[in-house]
Amino acid sequence: MKRGYHLGRSLASTSALAFMLLSAPSFAQDVDNSNSGTPGSENSAASADVGEIIVTANKREQSANKVGLAITALSADVLKDQKVTTLSDLAAVVPGLSYTPSATQSPVYTLRGVGFYESTLAAYPTTSIYVDQVPLPFPAMTTHANFDLERVEILKGPQGTLFGQNSTGGAINFIAAKPTDEAQMGGDLTYGRFNRLEGNLYVSGPLSSTLKARLALTGGRADNWQHGYTRTDTATDTSYYGGRLIFDWEPTPELSAVLTLTGWRDESDPQIPQYQTLLSQAPAFTAPELRAYPFAPDNARAADWGPNPRAPHADNRLLQPTFNLTWNVSDGIAITSLTSYADYKQESGVETDGTTLDVDDFFLVNGRIKSFSQELRISNTGSDRFRWVIGGNYEKSHVTEQNYNSFTQISTAYIFGYTGTRNSTDQHMRNLAAFANVEYDLTDQLTVKLGGRYTDARRRATTCSRDPGDNSMNPVFEDLSQAIQNGFVPVAGFTPTGLTVPPIGDGCFQLDNITTDGTPATYLPSPFNGRLNEDNISWRVGLDYKATNLLLFYANVAKGYKAGSFPVISGATMEQYAGVTQEALLSYEAGFKLTSSDRRLQVNAAGFYYDYSNKQLRAKTLDALFGVLDKLVNVPKSRIIGAELDATWRPIDGLVIGLSGSVLDSKVTDYIGLNTAGQPIDLRGSAIPYTPKYQGRLSVDYSWRAGNVEPFVGAVISARSSASANIGGSSVIVVTPDFASSRPLQDTYKIDGYTLVDLRAGVKLDDGKWSISVFGKNVFNKFYLTNIFTDYDTIGRFTGQPATYGITISAKLP
């Protein structure tokens, strides 16, 4: 009742405002419509012919065909027609982009093999996300960025010069639809499988001769789509709503101000992973119930969850006001200020082992992100030959996270008697940066590009693991600490002190095993306090050669950085809580962009080589009490070689064929890690996780006229080869052979390749003002995986969505 009430009230409010705007023609008559063809209006370049779309990759509006960077740009029409509504949908459209779900709902993007699989709220990504040039600095904040859009721009390769650190893989810019010069209203309604009902509504127009506004609302709900395979109930329903209100004020031709208010709330249940493989830390003590537990069938909907009072659940929300002020000081000289404050709150419970047992479940995961950012820049775009932009950034973020997990039935619990933990982290980040970027036309055909950014990054973290409240953990750690103190447990490099361990009480139980600045480890319980003070210089040098007005060659060399990170995790000693330092990526890239003379064919291609240093990765460590656990590490050296092709062809009127693909060869060239038995293993030659070697996509759309009706049909075939979800693949797996039910080990972490087919058909009426369409996604109900991960005694997997289908009705007035 509560969810439906909120959604209904929001839609009612929008309808009322729409009536007010559409019934005020006097305002529309007083407005200068000379800019009605600029991006953001209904006649924007995003809907132009093949090969023409406007992007802001250089912090100014340019044709994508004139920017010497690898860019995939998707217009609003493409996003709507091909039903690109989720983050995973976006990854399926873009060659080289992969989307990986995590157990705590934080999405992970891997672009051209560059990614960071870390679900801690405070972890920065490798692909930065922006909405209208305003950053969403943490992945959890990006869930509902993709509604009421003008276009999406995916910039590939290090983008540190203009978009800052944490963009070693690239940057994704969501460009919101802007207020229009004339009153407009539109929306769409979709009904599909699982009783899924989704709606989008916008109203836009002038409020006065100098002020325009646009209000967009989105919302959806759906029944549970997963069901137990050893239990009879269902889980993972969908419920969300959000909105964006934009005020665009232009008091003079030289001054403009845009205020954007964005908010959303998502109460959708997190996806439940499937139980795939048994991997016990203490095989002799593995619970009989877990030994006998059946593995999940190859059915995307089948999954089990634990005995906690609440099934997996979530209640997450984001509030974000932003302010963009632009002052055109003189011809071609502009000063721009971008101010943003984001407040994200998370409350959820997640299933991680995929069984009905209490092997390892997080029944509460709470978090809060408060992030302020400010950018100030001055640019000169008026010169025919010399263009430049200089500026600075400031970001201050505070992230807290707490999780409560229960594991009464893990194998080591039968040895030591513990039942769960409470883990928390409190992290503060402060980033300062100054940047400059210049372009100079040496001749009418040759342009040289040079840019750089200096970043000073500061991060501090306090992390703590506590007893769950039943005093099951504290005696274990007090005994372990005392044993180490008295020399009964051999620890390399430690001299017994003979100290008496004080009662832990409600304090942190992890033991101090880190030697800092010559101070020996004490192996006494205490909180972990860490600091990372880092700086770097990102840069790019490039050349653009315009062979003709229709053919551009480019070559770039760039270096980018991703900031260091601390995890929130549970372990016996502080070694697990230590952070990783910043990573660096040196990129060599060359490509071309070709438009045919009749503008019916557009071909973009690029090849690249990445030299990766200190790549951040989740790997293994041998814990003194729990056994082999996850830990953040820096991989000293790795490299990626790749090539991409993106082509669009319109052979006849009404027929559009799109073909895109990528080839990636990733390899670790220097790294000694641990396997799941805690044994050292040389991982040189291993592929970087989540990097399929091949990805390809073919889309065909055809529309024709039949009087006042425009029927259309379309199909998309997307495919990708296999990838590993773990560095070293399955070679690091050790499972005790007496487990007769264990699956074969050779493919434990292998994410098999797959091919998906989407179909759509419909009609447009009255020049596209009305449309009705039917669609099917994954129409052959292909079973496929998106992630595989270790969860102490079990290995779980996330599946892709099963076949979905529905009908969409959309309208645009006037």
Side-chain angles (χ1 to χ4, degrees):
M1 173 64 77
K2 180 180 178 181
R3 296 175 180 176
Y5 170 72
H6 282 299
L7 183 57
R9 185 173 63 177
S10 299
L11 292 174
S13 301
T14 305
S15 300
L17 183 53
F19 177 79
M20 292 170 59
L21 285 172
L22 292 175
S23 62
S26 59
F27 288 141
Q29 293 169 0
D30 292 338
V31 174
D32 179 7
N33 293 319
S34 59
N35 294 323
S36 60
T38 59
S41 72
E42 294 302 321
N43 298 317
S44 75
S47 60
D49 291 340
V50 169
E52 283 295 331
I53 189 169
I54 300 300
V55 297
T56 53
N58 288 321
K59 297 292 180 88
R60 68 179 189 274
E61 293 184 344
Q62 295 174 275
S63 168
N65 294 331
K66 297 180 180 179
V67 180
L69 291 171
I71 303 172
T72 296
L74 306 171
S75 69
D77 289 340
V78 170
L79 296 172
K80 292 176 183 177
D81 292 345
Q82 299 188 13
K83 300 297 293 183
V84 180
T85 59
T86 66
L87 299 178
S88 58
D89 291 339
L90 183 63
V93 174
V94 180
L97 181 64
S98 296
Y99 166 81
T100 305
S102 68
T104 57
Q105 297 181 281
S106 290
V108 178
Y109 280 121
T110 301
L111 186 54
R112 288 180 166 180
V114 181
F116 183 41
Y117 184 77
E118 168 59 22
S119 57
T120 301
L121 274 183
Y124 287 121
T126 57
T127 300
S128 55
I129 309 295
Y130 289 78
V131 177
D132 289 341
Q133 303 184 47
V134 174
L136 291 169
F138 302 98
M141 307 167 75
T142 67
T143 306
H144 293 288
N146 55 330
F147 71 95
D148 193 42
L149 298 178
E150 179 181 308
R151 65 183 182 276
V152 178
E153 306 168 6
I154 298 91
L155 315 180
K156 302 173 184 179
Q159 302 295 323
T161 301
L162 290 176
F163 292 93
Q165 64 174 4
N166 311 319
S167 57
T168 45
I172 299 177
N173 297 328
F174 294 98
I175 310 300
K178 301 303 187 295
T180 51
D181 293 331
E182 297 179 352
Q184 295 182 359
M185 179 179 178
D188 58 73
L189 188 65
T190 298
Y191 179 76
R193 191 182 183 191
F194 309 119
N195 284 321
R196 190 175 191 91
L197 184 65
E198 293 179 316
N200 295 281
L201 183 64
Y202 74 87
V203 57
S204 177
L207 299 177
S208 73
S209 60
T210 60
L211 180 64
K212 298 180 290 187
R214 186 183 185 100
L215 176 64
L217 294 180
T218 185
R221 52 88 51 212
D223 293 342
N224 295 325
W225 70 273
Q226 288 185 289
H227 58 74
Y229 63 94
T230 69
R231 54 193 297 168
T232 58
D233 47 352
T234 60
T236 55
D237 67 356
T238 298
S239 178
Y240 69 91
Y241 56 88
R244 182 188 297 121
L245 178 60
I246 302 176
F247 293 102
D248 186 346
W249 183 47
E250 191 173 343
T252 71
E254 295 78 26
L255 184 66
S256 65
V258 179
L259 173 65
T260 303
L261 306 174
T262 303
W264 55 259
R265 185 175 184 180
D266 193 334
E267 297 174 277
S268 305
D269 295 338
Q271 183 178 350
I272 299 171
Q274 293 185 339
Y275 172 43
Q276 174 180 283
T277 306
L278 178 59
L279 177 68
S280 180
Q281 297 286 341
F285 296 92
T286 301
E289 299 91 339
L290 184 57
R291 282 178 180 267
Y293 206 92
F295 299 120
D298 289 346
N299 180 339
R301 300 187 62 190
D304 277 350
W305 57 97
N308 292 309
R310 297 181 66 183
H313 64 280
D315 187 358
N316 308 327
R317 61 95 173 137
L318 173 75
L319 300 173
Q320 184 183 34
T322 68
F323 186 65
N324 182 334
L325 182 66
T326 300
W327 177 28
N328 295 303
V329 180
S330 63
D331 235 2
I333 303 291
I335 298 175
T336 302
S337 171
L338 289 169
T339 308
S340 169
Y341 176 77
D343 185 347
Y344 172 83
K345 187 176 182 181
Q346 172 178 297
E347 179 184 335
S348 62
V350 296
E351 171 69 31
T352 52
D353 61 71
T355 74
T356 59
L357 308 177
D358 191 21
V359 179
D360 186 20
D361 291 324
F362 288 83
F363 59 89
L364 190 61
V365 180
N366 287 347
R368 189 77 177 266
I369 301 173
K370 296 182 178 181
S371 181
F372 172 80
S373 67
Q374 173 66 52
E375 177 175 310
L376 185 64
R377 66 177 188 261
I378 180 171
S379 59
N380 174 22
T381 59
S383 171
D384 290 336
R385 306 189 70 87
F386 184 51
R387 299 164 297 279
W388 52 264
V389 55
I390 59 174
N393 291 90
Y394 172 79
E395 181 213 332
K396 185 174 184 179
S397 298
H398 180 205
V399 183
T400 59
E401 186 175 359
Q402 309 84 35
N403 61 61
Y404 297 71
N405 65 322
S406 178
F407 41 70
T408 61
Q409 289 178 281
I410 62 173
S411 55
T412 51
Y414 288 92
I415 302 174
F416 300 108
Y418 44 61
T419 62
T421 62
R422 295 177 291 155
N423 310 305
S424 65
T425 184
D426 188 328
Q427 301 196 34
H428 294 260
M429 288 75 78
R430 190 274 292 155
N431 299 298
L432 285 172
F435 62 90
N437 193 72
V438 299
E439 299 175 48
Y440 181 68
D441 297 335
L442 297 173
T443 69
D444 290 341
Q445 293 179 295
L446 189 63
T447 301
V448 61
K449 304 171 295 184
L450 182 64
R453 174 187 291 253
Y454 172 76
T455 301
D456 178 76
R458 299 286 183 265
R459 179 190 287 248
R460 69 179 191 271
T462 299
T463 309
C464 181
S465 292
R466 293 182 171 88
D467 185 87
D470 60 1
N471 202 34
S472 65
M473 294 293 285
N474 289 357
V476 177
F477 277 82
E478 290 166 1
D479 291 346
L480 176 64
S481 178
Q482 197 66 66
I484 296 175
Q485 301 276 343
N486 294 329
F488 297 124
V489 178
V491 178
F494 176 70
T495 302
T497 64
L499 296 176
T500 299
V501 181
I504 296 175
D506 195 43
C508 307
F509 61 57
Q510 68 262 17
L511 307 182
D512 175 15
N513 68 329
I514 298 179
T515 299
T516 306
D517 299 329
T519 303
T522 66
Y523 286 90
L524 291 173
S526 60
F528 169 82
N529 292 292
R531 287 182 178 271
L532 288 172
N533 297 328
E534 301 173 323
D535 63 353
N536 58 70
I537 298 177
S538 301
W539 53 267
R540 175 187 284 130
V541 178
L543 285 173
D544 291 350
Y545 176 66
K546 305 179 186 68
T548 70
N549 288 333
L550 301 174
L551 177 60
L552 172 70
F553 292 97
Y554 64 90
N556 299 310
V557 181
K559 190 165 189 178
Y561 292 84
K562 180 196 173 299
S565 189
F566 290 103
V568 54
I569 207 162
S570 178
T573 62
M574 286 188 185
E575 180 188 357
Q576 258 197 289
Y577 299 76
V580 285
T581 58
Q582 64 185 359
E583 67 180 29
L585 189 146
L586 180 61
S587 164
Y588 304 87
E589 179 173 344
F592 69 85
K593 299 182 178 185
L594 170 66
T595 307
S596 65
S597 58
D598 59 3
R599 308 192 67 82
R600 289 184 176 271
L601 175 66
Q602 176 70 40
V603 180
N604 302 333
F608 55 90
Y609 178 88
Y610 287 171
D611 185 359
Y612 222 151
S613 301
N614 292 321
K615 174 176 173 54
Q616 299 169 2
L617 190 74
R618 267 204 179 222
K620 303 298 178 184
T621 187
L622 186 59
D623 187 86
L625 182 63
F626 292 97
V628 180
L629 297 177
D630 283 354
K631 181 184 186 300
L632 291 182
V633 301
N634 287 110
V635 176
K637 295 293 292 183
S638 53
R639 62 97 176 125
I640 302 171
I641 303 173
E644 294 172 342
L645 173 71
D646 194 348
T648 304
W649 182 34
R650 183 176 293 167
I652 61 174
D653 289 347
L655 177 62
V656 180
I657 300 173
L659 177 66
S660 61
S662 67
V663 180
L664 288 175
D665 180 39
S666 67
K667 184 179 293 186
V668 173
T669 56
D670 179 17
Y671 178 53
I672 304 296
L674 295 179
N675 64 16
T676 51
Q679 303 162 337
I681 181 173
D682 189 344
L683 293 170
R684 287 178 297 179
S686 300
I688 295 174
Y690 308 111
T691 56
K693 189 167 186 177
Y694 303 106
Q695 288 179 259
R697 186 175 190 270
L698 172 66
S699 65
V700 179
D701 290 276
Y702 182 61
S703 62
W704 65 97
R705 282 279 183 181
N708 210 20
V709 177
E710 185 180 351
F712 61 89
V713 294
V716 174
I717 302 174
S718 58
R720 61 182 60 202
S721 62
S722 62
S724 177
N726 186 78
I727 188 169
S730 301
S731 64
V732 300
I733 297 301
V734 176
V735 178
T736 306
D738 63 342
F739 287 1
S741 61
S742 292
R743 289 182 168 177
L745 307 183
Q746 63 269 23
D747 295 327
T748 303
Y749 284 111
K750 181 183 178 183
I751 301 175
D752 288 330
Y754 56 87
T755 299
L756 305 178
V757 178
D758 299 345
L759 300 173
R760 57 191 175 275
V763 294
K764 296 180 181 179
L765 307 171
D766 195 13
D767 292 327
K769 292 182 178 179
W770 296 86
S771 72
I772 181 169
S773 62
V774 294
F775 65 90
K777 304 182 78 168
N778 188 12
V779 294
F780 296 110
N781 202 32
K782 172 68 176 179
F783 176 80
Y784 65 101
L785 303 181
T786 56
N787 193 15
I788 303 172
F789 62 96
T790 302
D791 183 49
Y792 203 69
D793 280 339
T794 64
I795 296 176
R797 66 189 189 187
F798 281 105
T799 65
Q801 285 281 325
T804 56
Y805 40 81
I807 182 171
T808 299
I809 300 174
S810 63
K812 181 170 59 177
L813 300 173

